Amino acid sequence: MAGKFQQWWRTRRSGVRRCLAVFGTLILGAAFAQTSAQPAAAATPWLTVADGFVSFRVPAADLESALGAVSSVDVEADFGPSFAVADLGLGRSGDAWTSVIGPLRPGLYRYRIRADGTKLLKDPTNAASVTSDPTWSTFLVPGGSASLLTDVPAGQGGTLGTVSYRSGPRQARSVTVWTPPGYDADRRHPYPVLHLRLGADGDRTDWLDLGRARQILDNLAVRRQIEPMVVVLGDGDARDLRPELRAITRAVQREYNITDDPRRRALAGASAGGTQALRAALTHPGEYAYVGSFAGPLTDSHLRIDGRAVNSGTKLLRLYSGNMTDPAYNPTYRTLRTLDRFRVRHDFDGVNPDDGHTWNAWRENLADFLPRLFRPVHDHRPSAGHLPLTREFTTPAPGTTPTPWLTQDANGDTFVTVETGTEFADAGRVTLWGNWAPGGSWVNVELTRTGDRWRGTVGPLKPWFYYYKFIVDLASKKDTSNPTRITTEPTWSTFLAPGRAARPLTDVPAGRGGTLATLTYTSTVAAAERTAYVWTPPGYDPARAEPYPVLYLQHGGGQNYTDWVEMGRAKQILDNGFHDGKLVPMVVVMGNGNSPNFRAELLDNIVPAARAAYHISDDPEKQALAGLSMGGFQTLDVLKAHPGEFAYIGIFSAGLFNPAGYDDVDVEAVNAGTKLLRVYTGNVTDFVYPIVLSTMATFDRLGIRYEFAGVTAGPHGWDAWQKNLIDFAPRLFQPDGA
């Protein structure tokens, strides 16, 4: 209704203005050989973060100066489910490559530019870097769960230093040392010490650049949540950890006041560094009283363990694991069984359901582990929300069909595993594109070569409808082992992640749904035979006295009449709505809207053909018209030209390109003849978002009554439009006051 936009705007305008300031011209461009070269100059940031949404605007000239001519540009970042590294495609918009993604979970993200599949480039406008790989940059999405990752006020944190030592007779190496706020080199009792390690390819700087170890330590120290300690960060490529740690300890003791008491020493590591720490605790018990293994399970199944000695010399042995995407998941399960068999006391933090083998998981592990050191700890439970590890994660043998393969965790979330055929055995790079980014945005997750096939697991996925394709050396390919088909997108395949939230998109029991049929009609506009889908409700009676109300439901650009069924899950949405008693019995006609004169196509062709074939009403109060994207723009055009012809109007992700062109609309006729005009939009990742806002402002100015459904989480895509139909259909043809 009139004024709804102003009410919504008053409560949200500050956030919306920030987002619009960030995206500006960018929003209209949102779309679907290693090098260290850099552009000569780039003053305007390529990346901007606002309210959890991240926008990229990469000047084409800067890319060309660094990489030469490019035809495709992605941002490679940990945007995938479980913080997996994934490719976000950028679209060319004027003089820049642009895209938007979000809202992202609070945390630290790394990213780099990947052009034409193989050319890598650091963002030169971002000073944050990763020492071990200079193509990466980082940025922080602030929020409650990321509070430990922010810098403490100047002068309140600890201090970083460097100590050199000799590893073996000839090799000079260094470690980084963090000392706590107020560190006293002369205090009577030496400080306890934690040695923090990485895997074989890890650099000690990674714990600072990607692990945010300094910020985590500083924040916990300022909050007095950890004991004052010294932390030593070492490289992860030591061949023999035990003599390496001895050499490090001797060197650090010469410069810092640290203890040599094993009861006040701790050892922890991530990935292979965690495996080293765990093995040290089990093979040389008592040298470190506190041991943490962050997704670093045992790799030696024949290790002999003296459980009594380990228990006697170890105050804390705590293990961590990511979810099913973590390659440490199954080995961790076996490790836990081994520890139980040898009666080794240990804590297990549980399975982190939201993260895999990633820095985000290890940062959380570090934040959990540190407060447990060098003090009595009575809470040995897993972190809140973490899951038990009760069995290994298994997938079918190579070549098993059909694909994909779905596995659910204890939360009811789905992990999907895909596999290519052998036809891509010689490919250089294969990724999996799908709508698994926030809100249903699209990213590519890299697959791994397994023999002569490519395979990967993505998750956790919330219950909903998903679609995907393979990208093989930049070419789109279908999963031919998945029998689903999308007429307008022949390389796409689909699957449904089951669960309560996906129920509106799920098939109803056999025999309890409506009927979906095709209607062939002659288009005088296209001068050709065309087809529409028609849904009739359960119990449809062509002979009943009262004709059925009818909804004409239109698709978007580049689509046709099949898309609302194949991608929009319209049949399932309507079946479930009727089954739940939410829908008035109606007929839904999904016609072909690809026409230069949609008004004529609808009113002269689709509507007469539907009336001739079905027992539907011609009373405007029993007719509805709705459409997504292009179909929404067409719906607005029909509303202006024929006010009152359809009493119910739904606009999904569409608006007025030229608001002034609506100034001559018959406002009185629109308001008198329209019972419901309901407007929908995706969030700021939807490129028509500013157009919808402008359209509602125009409606308010003209006095056109409408309802704003609020922002639907998601981009200009099917995730949003399915939710729009779920909301819109039950509102149609209801008795007054219902």
Side-chain angles (χ1 to χ4, degrees), residues 399-455:
T400 301
T401 58
T403 54
W405 310 307
L406 307 183
T407 306
Q408 287 189 293
D409 67 11
N411 282 338
D413 293 335
T414 294
F415 290 79
V416 58
T417 302
V418 299
E419 180 185 74
T420 70
T422 59
E423 64 271 28
F424 308 133
D426 296 329
R429 188 172 190 255
V430 180
T431 60
L432 183 69
W433 175 94
N435 61 320
W436 21 68
S441 292
W442 310 273
V443 293
N444 299 294
V445 177
E446 193 162 8
L447 301 184
T448 301
R449 189 192 301 272
T450 305
D452 55 1
R453 302 172 186 269
W454 296 78
R455 181 180 281 213

Coordinates of all heavy atoms in Angstrom, one line a residue, residues 399-455:
G399 N 32.6 -43.9 -10.9 CA 31.7 -44.4 -12.0 C 30.3 -44.8 -11.5 O 29.5 -45.1 -12.4
T400 N 30.0 -44.7 -10.2 CA 28.6 -45.0 -9.8 C 27.7 -43.9 -10.3 O 27.9 -42.7 -10.2 CB 28.6 -45.1 -8.2 OG1 29.5 -46.1 -7.8 CG2 27.2 -45.4 -7.7
T401 N 26.5 -44.4 -10.7 CA 25.5 -43.5 -11.2 C 24.2 -43.8 -10.6 O 24.0 -45.0 -10.1 CB 25.4 -43.5 -12.8 OG1 25.0 -44.9 -13.1 CG2 26.6 -43.1 -13.4
P402 N 23.2 -42.9 -10.5 CA 23.3 -41.5 -11.0 C 24.0 -40.6 -9.9 O 24.3 -41.1 -8.8 CB 21.9 -41.1 -11.1 CG 21.1 -41.9 -10.0 CD 21.8 -43.2 -10.0
T403 N 24.4 -39.5 -10.4 CA 25.0 -38.5 -9.5 C 24.0 -37.3 -9.4 O 23.1 -37.2 -10.2 CB 26.3 -38.0 -10.1 OG1 26.1 -37.5 -11.4 CG2 27.4 -39.1 -10.1
P404 N 24.2 -36.4 -8.4 CA 25.2 -36.4 -7.4 C 24.8 -37.4 -6.2 O 23.7 -37.9 -6.2 CB 25.3 -35.0 -6.9 CG 23.8 -34.5 -7.1 CD 23.3 -35.3 -8.3
W405 N 25.7 -37.4 -5.2 CA 25.5 -38.3 -4.0 C 25.3 -37.3 -2.8 O 26.2 -36.5 -2.6 CB 26.6 -39.2 -3.8 CG 27.0 -40.0 -5.1 CD1 26.1 -40.7 -5.8 CD2 28.2 -40.1 -5.7 NE1 26.8 -41.3 -6.9 CE2 28.1 -40.9 -6.8 CE3 29.5 -39.6 -5.4 CZ2 29.1 -41.3 -7.7 CZ3 30.6 -39.9 -6.3 CH2 30.4 -40.7 -7.4
L406 N 24.2 -37.5 -2.1 CA 23.9 -36.6 -1.0 C 24.1 -37.3 0.3 O 23.7 -38.5 0.5 CB 22.5 -36.1 -1.1 CG 22.0 -35.5 -2.4 CD1 20.6 -35.0 -2.3 CD2 23.0 -34.4 -2.8
T407 N 24.7 -36.6 1.3 CA 24.9 -37.1 2.7 C 24.5 -36.0 3.6 O 24.8 -34.9 3.4 CB 26.4 -37.5 2.9 OG1 26.9 -38.4 1.9 CG2 26.6 -38.1 4.3
Q408 N 23.8 -36.4 4.7 CA 23.3 -35.4 5.7 C 24.1 -35.6 7.0 O 24.5 -36.7 7.4 CB 21.8 -35.6 5.9 CG 21.0 -35.0 4.8 CD 19.5 -35.0 5.1 OE1 18.9 -36.0 5.4 NE2 19.0 -33.8 5.2
D409 N 24.4 -34.4 7.6 CA 25.0 -34.5 8.9 C 24.0 -34.5 10.0 O 22.8 -34.5 9.7 CB 26.0 -33.3 9.1 CG 25.4 -32.0 9.1 OD1 24.1 -31.9 9.2 OD2 26.1 -31.0 9.1
A410 N 24.4 -34.4 11.3 CA 23.5 -34.5 12.4 C 22.6 -33.3 12.5 O 21.6 -33.3 13.2 CB 24.3 -34.7 13.7
N411 N 23.0 -32.2 11.8 CA 22.1 -31.0 11.8 C 21.1 -31.1 10.7 O 20.2 -30.2 10.6 CB 23.0 -29.7 11.6 CG 23.7 -29.3 12.8 OD1 23.3 -29.6 13.9 ND2 24.8 -28.6 12.6
G412 N 21.1 -32.1 9.9 CA 20.2 -32.2 8.8 C 20.6 -31.4 7.5 O 19.9 -31.3 6.5
D413 N 21.9 -30.8 7.6 CA 22.4 -30.2 6.4 C 23.0 -31.2 5.4 O 23.4 -32.3 5.8 CB 23.5 -29.2 6.8 CG 22.9 -28.0 7.6 OD1 21.7 -27.7 7.4 OD2 23.7 -27.4 8.4
T414 N 23.1 -30.8 4.2 CA 23.5 -31.8 3.1 C 24.9 -31.5 2.6 O 25.2 -30.3 2.4 CB 22.5 -31.7 2.0 OG1 21.2 -32.2 2.4 CG2 22.9 -32.5 0.8
F415 N 25.6 -32.5 2.4 CA 26.9 -32.4 1.7 C 26.7 -33.2 0.4 O 26.3 -34.4 0.3 CB 28.0 -33.1 2.5 CG 28.4 -32.2 3.7 CD1 27.6 -32.3 4.9 CD2 29.5 -31.4 3.7 CE1 27.9 -31.5 6.0 CE2 29.8 -30.6 4.8 CZ 29.0 -30.7 6.0
V416 N 27.0 -32.5 -0.7 CA 26.8 -33.1 -2.1 C 28.2 -33.4 -2.7 O 29.1 -32.6 -2.6 CB 26.0 -32.2 -3.0 CG1 26.7 -30.8 -3.1 CG2 25.8 -32.8 -4.3
T417 N 28.3 -34.7 -3.2 CA 29.5 -35.1 -3.8 C 29.2 -35.3 -5.3 O 28.2 -36.0 -5.7 CB 30.1 -36.4 -3.2 OG1 30.3 -36.2 -1.8 CG2 31.3 -36.8 -3.9
V418 N 30.1 -34.7 -6.2 CA 29.9 -34.9 -7.6 C 31.1 -35.5 -8.2 O 32.2 -35.5 -7.6 CB 29.7 -33.5 -8.3 CG1 28.4 -32.9 -7.8 CG2 30.9 -32.6 -8.1
E419 N 31.0 -36.1 -9.4 CA 32.1 -36.7 -10.1 C 31.9 -36.6 -11.6 O 30.7 -36.8 -12.0 CB 32.2 -38.2 -9.7 CG 33.3 -38.9 -10.3 CD 33.3 -40.4 -10.0 OE1 32.4 -41.1 -10.6 OE2 34.1 -40.9 -9.2
T420 N 32.9 -36.3 -12.3 CA 32.8 -36.2 -13.7 C 33.0 -37.6 -14.3 O 33.4 -38.5 -13.6 CB 33.9 -35.3 -14.3 OG1 35.2 -35.9 -14.2 CG2 33.9 -33.9 -13.7
G421 N 32.7 -37.7 -15.6 CA 33.1 -38.9 -16.3 C 34.6 -38.9 -16.7 O 35.3 -38.0 -16.3
T422 N 35.0 -39.9 -17.4 CA 36.4 -40.0 -17.8 C 36.7 -39.1 -19.0 O 37.9 -38.9 -19.4 CB 36.7 -41.4 -18.2 OG1 35.9 -41.9 -19.2 CG2 36.6 -42.3 -17.0
E423 N 35.7 -38.4 -19.6 CA 35.9 -37.6 -20.8 C 36.7 -36.4 -20.5 O 37.3 -35.7 -21.4 CB 34.6 -37.2 -21.4 CG 33.7 -36.3 -20.6 CD 32.7 -37.1 -19.7 OE1 33.1 -38.2 -19.3 OE2 31.7 -36.5 -19.4
F424 N 36.9 -36.0 -19.2 CA 37.7 -34.8 -18.9 C 39.0 -35.2 -18.2 O 39.6 -34.4 -17.5 CB 36.9 -33.9 -17.9 CG 35.5 -33.6 -18.4 CD1 34.4 -33.7 -17.6 CD2 35.3 -33.2 -19.7 CE1 33.1 -33.4 -18.0 CE2 34.0 -32.8 -20.2 CZ 32.9 -32.9 -19.3
A425 N 39.4 -36.4 -18.5 CA 40.7 -36.9 -17.8 C 41.9 -36.0 -18.1 O 42.8 -35.9 -17.3 CB 40.9 -38.4 -18.3
D426 N 41.9 -35.4 -19.3 CA 43.1 -34.6 -19.7 C 42.9 -33.1 -19.4 O 43.7 -32.3 -19.8 CB 43.4 -34.8 -21.2 CG 43.8 -36.3 -21.5 OD1 44.4 -36.9 -20.6 OD2 43.5 -36.8 -22.6
A427 N 41.8 -32.8 -18.7 CA 41.6 -31.4 -18.4 C 42.6 -30.8 -17.5 O 43.2 -31.5 -16.7 CB 40.2 -31.2 -17.8
G428 N 42.9 -29.5 -17.6 CA 43.8 -28.8 -16.7 C 43.2 -28.4 -15.4 O 43.9 -28.4 -14.4
R429 N 42.0 -27.9 -15.5 CA 41.3 -27.4 -14.3 C 39.8 -27.6 -14.4 O 39.2 -27.3 -15.4 CB 41.6 -25.9 -14.0 CG 41.1 -25.4 -12.7 CD 41.6 -24.0 -12.5 NE 41.4 -23.5 -11.1 CZ 40.4 -22.6 -10.8 NH1 39.7 -22.1 -11.8 NH2 40.2 -22.2 -9.6
V430 N 39.2 -28.2 -13.4 CA 37.7 -28.4 -13.4 C 37.2 -27.8 -12.1 O 37.7 -28.1 -11.0 CB 37.4 -29.9 -13.5 CG1 35.9 -30.1 -13.5 CG2 38.0 -30.5 -14.8
T431 N 36.1 -27.0 -12.2 CA 35.4 -26.5 -11.1 C 34.0 -26.8 -11.2 O 33.4 -27.2 -12.2 CB 35.6 -24.9 -11.0 OG1 35.1 -24.3 -12.2 CG2 37.1 -24.6 -10.8
L432 N 33.3 -26.7 -10.0 CA 31.9 -26.9 -9.9 C 31.1 -25.6 -9.6 O 31.3 -25.1 -8.5 CB 31.6 -28.0 -8.8 CG 30.2 -28.4 -8.6 CD1 29.7 -29.3 -9.8 CD2 30.1 -29.2 -7.3
W433 N 30.4 -25.2 -10.6 CA 29.6 -23.9 -10.4 C 28.2 -24.3 -9.9 O 27.6 -25.2 -10.3 CB 29.5 -23.3 -11.8 CG 28.6 -22.0 -11.9 CD1 29.0 -20.7 -11.8 CD2 27.2 -22.0 -12.1 NE1 27.9 -19.9 -11.9 CE2 26.8 -20.6 -12.1 CE3 26.2 -23.0 -12.3 CZ2 25.5 -20.2 -12.3 CZ3 24.9 -22.6 -12.5 CH2 24.6 -21.2 -12.5
G434 N 27.8 -23.5 -8.9 CA 26.4 -23.7 -8.4 C 26.0 -22.6 -7.5 O 26.7 -21.7 -7.1
N435 N 24.7 -22.7 -7.1 CA 24.1 -21.6 -6.3 C 24.3 -21.9 -4.8 O 23.3 -21.9 -4.0 CB 22.6 -21.4 -6.6 CG 21.8 -22.7 -6.3 OD1 22.3 -23.8 -6.6 ND2 20.6 -22.5 -5.8
W436 N 25.5 -22.1 -4.3 CA 25.8 -22.4 -2.9 C 26.5 -21.3 -2.2 O 26.9 -21.5 -1.0 CB 26.6 -23.7 -2.8 CG 27.4 -24.1 -3.9 CD1 28.5 -23.5 -4.5 CD2 27.1 -25.2 -4.7 NE1 28.9 -24.2 -5.6 CE2 28.1 -25.3 -5.8 CE3 26.2 -26.3 -4.7 CZ2 28.1 -26.3 -6.7 CZ3 26.2 -27.2 -5.7 CH2 27.2 -27.2 -6.7
A437 N 26.6 -20.1 -2.8 CA 27.1 -19.0 -2.1 C 26.0 -18.3 -1.3 O 24.8 -18.7 -1.5 CB 27.8 -18.0 -3.0
P438 N 26.3 -17.3 -0.4 CA 25.2 -16.7 0.4 C 24.0 -16.3 -0.5 O 24.2 -15.6 -1.5 CB 25.9 -15.5 1.0 CG 27.3 -16.0 1.2 CD 27.6 -16.8 -0.1
G439 N 22.8 -16.6 0.0 CA 21.6 -16.2 -0.7 C 21.3 -16.8 -2.0 O 20.3 -16.5 -2.7
G440 N 22.1 -17.8 -2.4 CA 21.9 -18.5 -3.7 C 22.7 -17.9 -4.8 O 22.5 -18.1 -5.9
S441 N 23.8 -17.1 -4.4 CA 24.7 -16.6 -5.4 C 25.5 -17.7 -5.9 O 25.5 -18.8 -5.4 CB 25.6 -15.5 -4.8 OG 24.9 -14.3 -4.5
W442 N 26.3 -17.5 -6.9 CA 27.0 -18.5 -7.7 C 28.5 -18.4 -7.5 O 29.1 -17.4 -7.8 CB 26.6 -18.5 -9.1 CG 25.1 -18.4 -9.3 CD1 24.2 -19.4 -9.4 CD2 24.3 -17.1 -9.4 NE1 22.9 -18.9 -9.5 CE2 23.0 -17.5 -9.5 CE3 24.6 -15.8 -9.4 CZ2 21.9 -16.6 -9.7 CZ3 23.6 -14.9 -9.6 CH2 22.3 -15.3 -9.7
V443 N 29.1 -19.5 -7.1 CA 30.6 -19.6 -7.1 C 31.0 -21.0 -7.7 O 30.2 -21.9 -7.7 CB 31.2 -19.4 -5.7 CG1 30.9 -18.0 -5.2 CG2 30.6 -20.4 -4.7
N444 N 32.3 -21.0 -8.1 CA 32.9 -22.3 -8.6 C 33.8 -22.9 -7.5 O 34.8 -22.2 -7.1 CB 33.7 -22.0 -9.8 CG 32.9 -21.5 -11.0 OD1 32.0 -22.1 -11.5 ND2 33.1 -20.2 -11.3
V445 N 33.6 -24.1 -7.1 CA 34.5 -24.8 -6.2 C 35.3 -25.7 -7.0 O 34.9 -26.5 -7.8 CB 33.6 -25.6 -5.1 CG1 34.6 -26.3 -4.2 CG2 32.7 -24.6 -4.3
E446 N 36.6 -25.7 -6.7 CA 37.6 -26.5 -7.5 C 37.4 -28.0 -7.1 O 37.3 -28.4 -6.0 CB 39.0 -26.0 -7.2 CG 40.0 -26.6 -8.2 CD 41.3 -25.8 -8.2 OE1 41.5 -25.0 -7.3 OE2 42.2 -26.1 -9.0
L447 N 37.4 -28.8 -8.2 CA 37.4 -30.3 -8.0 C 38.8 -30.8 -8.0 O 39.7 -30.2 -8.5 CB 36.5 -30.9 -9.1 CG 35.1 -30.4 -9.1 CD1 34.3 -31.2 -10.2 CD2 34.4 -30.6 -7.8
T448 N 38.9 -32.0 -7.5 CA 40.2 -32.7 -7.4 C 40.3 -33.9 -8.4 O 39.3 -34.7 -8.5 CB 40.5 -33.2 -6.0 OG1 40.4 -32.1 -5.1 CG2 41.9 -33.9 -5.9
R449 N 41.4 -34.0 -9.1 CA 41.6 -35.2 -10.0 C 41.7 -36.4 -9.2 O 42.6 -36.5 -8.3 CB 42.8 -35.0 -10.9 CG 42.9 -36.0 -12.0 CD 44.3 -35.9 -12.7 NE 44.5 -34.6 -13.3 CZ 44.2 -34.3 -14.5 NH1 43.5 -35.1 -15.3 NH2 44.5 -33.1 -14.9
T450 N 40.9 -37.4 -9.5 CA 40.9 -38.7 -8.8 C 41.0 -39.8 -9.9 O 40.0 -40.1 -10.5 CB 39.7 -39.0 -7.9 OG1 39.6 -37.9 -7.0 CG2 39.9 -40.3 -7.1
G451 N 42.2 -40.3 -10.2 CA 42.3 -41.2 -11.3 C 42.1 -40.5 -12.6 O 42.6 -39.4 -12.9
D452 N 41.1 -41.0 -13.4 CA 40.8 -40.4 -14.7 C 39.5 -39.6 -14.6 O 38.8 -39.3 -15.6 CB 40.7 -41.4 -15.8 CG 39.7 -42.6 -15.4 OD1 39.1 -42.5 -14.4 OD2 39.6 -43.5 -16.3
R453 N 39.1 -39.3 -13.3 CA 37.9 -38.5 -13.1 C 38.2 -37.3 -12.2 O 39.3 -37.2 -11.6 CB 36.8 -39.3 -12.5 CG 36.4 -40.5 -13.3 CD 35.4 -41.5 -12.5 NE 35.1 -42.7 -13.2 CZ 34.2 -42.8 -14.1 NH1 33.3 -41.9 -14.3 NH2 34.0 -44.0 -14.7
W454 N 37.2 -36.4 -12.0 CA 37.3 -35.3 -11.1 C 36.2 -35.4 -10.1 O 35.1 -35.7 -10.5 CB 37.3 -33.9 -11.9 CG 38.4 -33.7 -12.8 CD1 38.5 -34.3 -14.1 CD2 39.5 -32.9 -12.6 NE1 39.7 -33.8 -14.7 CE2 40.3 -32.9 -13.8 CE3 40.0 -32.0 -11.6 CZ2 41.5 -32.2 -13.9 CZ3 41.1 -31.3 -11.7 CH2 41.9 -31.4 -12.9
R455 N 36.5 -35.1 -8.9 CA 35.5 -35.3 -7.8 C 35.7 -34.2 -6.7 O 36.7 -33.7 -6.5 CB 35.7 -36.7 -7.2 CG 34.7 -37.0 -6.1 CD 35.0 -38.4 -5.5 NE 34.5 -39.5 -6.3 CZ 34.0 -40.6 -5.8 NH1 33.9 -40.9 -4.5 NH2 33.5 -41.6 -6.6

